[in-house]
Amino acid sequence: MEYVSALLPSTVMAVAFVALIVTIVKNQGGANKAKEDAAVDAALAEAEATRAARDTGGGSSA
């Protein structure tokens, strides 16, 4: 029975790794991709607006 206890952790890790990869692949593309792209676009637009305001002196600086 020692071989079972020796193989069990490796087997559990392999199953968990496969489940993680399957989850990652399933979440790529589709509606999730559109939501992620929109979130990134919003963050980039906010960063650009902040940088533009700072460059033109529109922001408050100490």
PDB file of all heavy atoms in Angstrom, residues 20-34 36-37:
ATOM      1  N   LEU A  20      -7.277  23.080 -13.978  1.00  0.00           N
ATOM      2  CA  LEU A  20      -6.898  24.485 -14.128  1.00  0.00           C
ATOM      3  C   LEU A  20      -6.738  24.865 -15.596  1.00  0.00           C
ATOM      4  O   LEU A  20      -7.252  25.896 -16.041  1.00  0.00           O
ATOM      5  CB  LEU A  20      -5.591  24.755 -13.382  1.00  0.00           C
ATOM      6  CG  LEU A  20      -5.002  26.151 -13.539  1.00  0.00           C
ATOM      7  CD1 LEU A  20      -5.912  27.184 -12.880  1.00  0.00           C
ATOM      8  CD2 LEU A  20      -3.609  26.202 -12.967  1.00  0.00           C
ATOM      9  N   ILE A  21      -6.061  24.028 -16.364  1.00  0.00           N
ATOM     10  CA  ILE A  21      -5.856  24.304 -17.781  1.00  0.00           C
ATOM     11  C   ILE A  21      -7.194  24.330 -18.527  1.00  0.00           C
ATOM     12  O   ILE A  21      -7.445  25.209 -19.357  1.00  0.00           O
ATOM     13  CB  ILE A  21      -4.901  23.267 -18.414  1.00  0.00           C
ATOM     14  CG1 ILE A  21      -3.521  23.356 -17.766  1.00  0.00           C
ATOM     15  CG2 ILE A  21      -4.803  23.453 -19.910  1.00  0.00           C
ATOM     16  CD1 ILE A  21      -2.864  24.705 -17.874  1.00  0.00           C
ATOM     17  N   VAL A  22      -8.068  23.374 -18.217  1.00  0.00           N
ATOM     18  CA  VAL A  22      -9.382  23.336 -18.870  1.00  0.00           C
ATOM     19  C   VAL A  22     -10.173  24.608 -18.551  1.00  0.00           C
ATOM     20  O   VAL A  22     -10.799  25.201 -19.433  1.00  0.00           O
ATOM     21  CB  VAL A  22     -10.162  22.070 -18.435  1.00  0.00           C
ATOM     22  CG1 VAL A  22     -11.625  22.162 -18.836  1.00  0.00           C
ATOM     23  CG2 VAL A  22      -9.517  20.837 -19.036  1.00  0.00           C
ATOM     24  N   THR A  23     -10.116  25.054 -17.306  1.00  0.00           N
ATOM     25  CA  THR A  23     -10.821  26.273 -16.911  1.00  0.00           C
ATOM     26  C   THR A  23     -10.271  27.489 -17.648  1.00  0.00           C
ATOM     27  O   THR A  23     -11.034  28.336 -18.125  1.00  0.00           O
ATOM     28  CB  THR A  23     -10.697  26.488 -15.391  1.00  0.00           C
ATOM     29  OG1 THR A  23     -11.245  25.346 -14.737  1.00  0.00           O
ATOM     30  CG2 THR A  23     -11.441  27.728 -14.943  1.00  0.00           C
ATOM     31  N   ILE A  24      -8.958  27.578 -17.750  1.00  0.00           N
ATOM     32  CA  ILE A  24      -8.348  28.707 -18.454  1.00  0.00           C
ATOM     33  C   ILE A  24      -8.758  28.710 -19.919  1.00  0.00           C
ATOM     34  O   ILE A  24      -9.121  29.750 -20.473  1.00  0.00           O
ATOM     35  CB  ILE A  24      -6.819  28.665 -18.305  1.00  0.00           C
ATOM     36  CG1 ILE A  24      -6.427  28.996 -16.868  1.00  0.00           C
ATOM     37  CG2 ILE A  24      -6.147  29.615 -19.283  1.00  0.00           C
ATOM     38  CD1 ILE A  24      -4.967  28.776 -16.568  1.00  0.00           C
ATOM     39  N   VAL A  25      -8.715  27.557 -20.553  1.00  0.00           N
ATOM     40  CA  VAL A  25      -9.061  27.478 -21.978  1.00  0.00           C
ATOM     41  C   VAL A  25     -10.534  27.803 -22.196  1.00  0.00           C
ATOM     42  O   VAL A  25     -10.886  28.512 -23.147  1.00  0.00           O
ATOM     43  CB  VAL A  25      -8.705  26.081 -22.537  1.00  0.00           C
ATOM     44  CG1 VAL A  25      -9.275  25.896 -23.924  1.00  0.00           C
ATOM     45  CG2 VAL A  25      -7.192  25.891 -22.551  1.00  0.00           C
ATOM     46  N   LYS A  26     -11.399  27.332 -21.311  1.00  0.00           N
ATOM     47  CA  LYS A  26     -12.834  27.610 -21.453  1.00  0.00           C
ATOM     48  C   LYS A  26     -13.139  29.096 -21.331  1.00  0.00           C
ATOM     49  O   LYS A  26     -14.075  29.599 -21.953  1.00  0.00           O
ATOM     50  CB  LYS A  26     -13.629  26.865 -20.377  1.00  0.00           C
ATOM     51  CG  LYS A  26     -13.940  25.448 -20.705  1.00  0.00           C
ATOM     52  CD  LYS A  26     -14.820  24.868 -19.613  1.00  0.00           C
ATOM     53  CE  LYS A  26     -15.401  23.547 -20.003  1.00  0.00           C
ATOM     54  NZ  LYS A  26     -16.261  23.017 -18.936  1.00  0.00           N
ATOM     55  N   ASN A  27     -12.376  29.810 -20.524  1.00  0.00           N
ATOM     56  CA  ASN A  27     -12.654  31.220 -20.276  1.00  0.00           C
ATOM     57  C   ASN A  27     -12.022  32.152 -21.306  1.00  0.00           C
ATOM     58  O   ASN A  27     -12.139  33.362 -21.184  1.00  0.00           O
ATOM     59  CB  ASN A  27     -12.189  31.619 -18.873  1.00  0.00           C
ATOM     60  CG  ASN A  27     -13.094  31.041 -17.820  1.00  0.00           C
ATOM     61  OD1 ASN A  27     -14.288  30.921 -18.016  1.00  0.00           O
ATOM     62  ND2 ASN A  27     -12.525  30.654 -16.697  1.00  0.00           N
ATOM     63  N   GLN A  28     -11.377  31.606 -22.298  1.00  0.00           N
ATOM     64  CA  GLN A  28     -10.796  32.428 -23.356  1.00  0.00           C
ATOM     65  C   GLN A  28     -11.822  32.623 -24.462  1.00  0.00           C
ATOM     66  O   GLN A  28     -12.471  31.680 -24.886  1.00  0.00           O
ATOM     67  CB  GLN A  28      -9.545  31.754 -23.934  1.00  0.00           C
ATOM     68  CG  GLN A  28      -8.457  31.546 -22.928  1.00  0.00           C
ATOM     69  CD  GLN A  28      -7.945  32.835 -22.339  1.00  0.00           C
ATOM     70  OE1 GLN A  28      -7.641  33.760 -23.077  1.00  0.00           O
ATOM     71  NE2 GLN A  28      -7.865  32.891 -21.037  1.00  0.00           N
ATOM     72  N   GLY A  29     -11.937  33.844 -24.941  1.00  0.00           N
ATOM     73  CA  GLY A  29     -12.837  34.106 -26.058  1.00  0.00           C
ATOM     74  C   GLY A  29     -14.281  34.288 -25.633  1.00  0.00           C
ATOM     75  O   GLY A  29     -14.632  34.260 -24.469  1.00  0.00           O
ATOM     76  N   GLY A  30     -15.144  34.482 -26.610  1.00  0.00           N
ATOM     77  CA  GLY A  30     -16.581  34.613 -26.362  1.00  0.00           C
ATOM     78  C   GLY A  30     -16.933  35.873 -25.603  1.00  0.00           C
ATOM     79  O   GLY A  30     -16.284  36.905 -25.716  1.00  0.00           O
ATOM     80  N   ALA A  31     -17.990  35.793 -24.807  1.00  0.00           N
ATOM     81  CA  ALA A  31     -18.474  36.944 -24.051  1.00  0.00           C
ATOM     82  C   ALA A  31     -17.445  37.395 -23.026  1.00  0.00           C
ATOM     83  O   ALA A  31     -17.313  38.591 -22.758  1.00  0.00           O
ATOM     84  CB  ALA A  31     -19.784  36.596 -23.357  1.00  0.00           C
ATOM     85  N   ASN A  32     -16.714  36.457 -22.441  1.00  0.00           N
ATOM     86  CA  ASN A  32     -15.697  36.831 -21.461  1.00  0.00           C
ATOM     87  C   ASN A  32     -14.615  37.690 -22.101  1.00  0.00           C
ATOM     88  O   ASN A  32     -14.123  38.628 -21.488  1.00  0.00           O
ATOM     89  CB  ASN A  32     -15.069  35.586 -20.831  1.00  0.00           C
ATOM     90  CG  ASN A  32     -16.032  34.850 -19.933  1.00  0.00           C
ATOM     91  OD1 ASN A  32     -16.880  35.460 -19.316  1.00  0.00           O
ATOM     92  ND2 ASN A  32     -15.911  33.548 -19.866  1.00  0.00           N
ATOM     93  N   LYS A  33     -14.242  37.362 -23.322  1.00  0.00           N
ATOM     94  CA  LYS A  33     -13.208  38.144 -24.004  1.00  0.00           C
ATOM     95  C   LYS A  33     -13.691  39.574 -24.221  1.00  0.00           C
ATOM     96  O   LYS A  33     -12.938  40.525 -24.011  1.00  0.00           O
ATOM     97  CB  LYS A  33     -12.829  37.500 -25.330  1.00  0.00           C
ATOM     98  CG  LYS A  33     -11.728  38.250 -26.068  1.00  0.00           C
ATOM     99  CD  LYS A  33     -11.236  37.479 -27.257  1.00  0.00           C
ATOM    100  CE  LYS A  33     -10.197  38.183 -28.072  1.00  0.00           C
ATOM    101  NZ  LYS A  33      -9.345  39.117 -27.443  1.00  0.00           N
ATOM    102  N   ALA A  34     -14.926  39.742 -24.601  1.00  0.00           N
ATOM    103  CA  ALA A  34     -15.467  41.079 -24.818  1.00  0.00           C
ATOM    104  C   ALA A  34     -15.467  41.877 -23.515  1.00  0.00           C
ATOM    105  O   ALA A  34     -15.120  43.065 -23.505  1.00  0.00           O
ATOM    106  CB  ALA A  34     -16.870  40.993 -25.389  1.00  0.00           C
ATOM    107  N   GLU A  36     -13.488  41.382 -20.885  1.00  0.00           N
ATOM    108  CA  GLU A  36     -12.107  41.675 -20.514  1.00  0.00           C
ATOM    109  C   GLU A  36     -11.544  42.795 -21.377  1.00  0.00           C
ATOM    110  O   GLU A  36     -10.861  43.686 -20.866  1.00  0.00           O
ATOM    111  CB  GLU A  36     -11.249  40.421 -20.651  1.00  0.00           C
ATOM    112  CG  GLU A  36     -11.571  39.352 -19.621  1.00  0.00           C
ATOM    113  CD  GLU A  36     -10.870  38.044 -19.905  1.00  0.00           C
ATOM    114  OE1 GLU A  36     -10.081  37.976 -20.865  1.00  0.00           O
ATOM    115  OE2 GLU A  36     -11.114  37.084 -19.153  1.00  0.00           O
ATOM    116  N   ASP A  37     -11.826  42.755 -22.672  1.00  0.00           N
ATOM    117  CA  ASP A  37     -11.345  43.804 -23.568  1.00  0.00           C
ATOM    118  C   ASP A  37     -11.929  45.157 -23.177  1.00  0.00           C
ATOM    119  O   ASP A  37     -11.229  46.172 -23.195  1.00  0.00           O
ATOM    120  CB  ASP A  37     -11.685  43.477 -25.015  1.00  0.00           C
ATOM    121  CG  ASP A  37     -10.849  42.338 -25.574  1.00  0.00           C
ATOM    122  OD1 ASP A  37      -9.858  41.951 -24.930  1.00  0.00           O
ATOM    123  OD2 ASP A  37     -11.200  41.842 -26.663  1.00  0.00           O
TER     124      ASP A  37
END
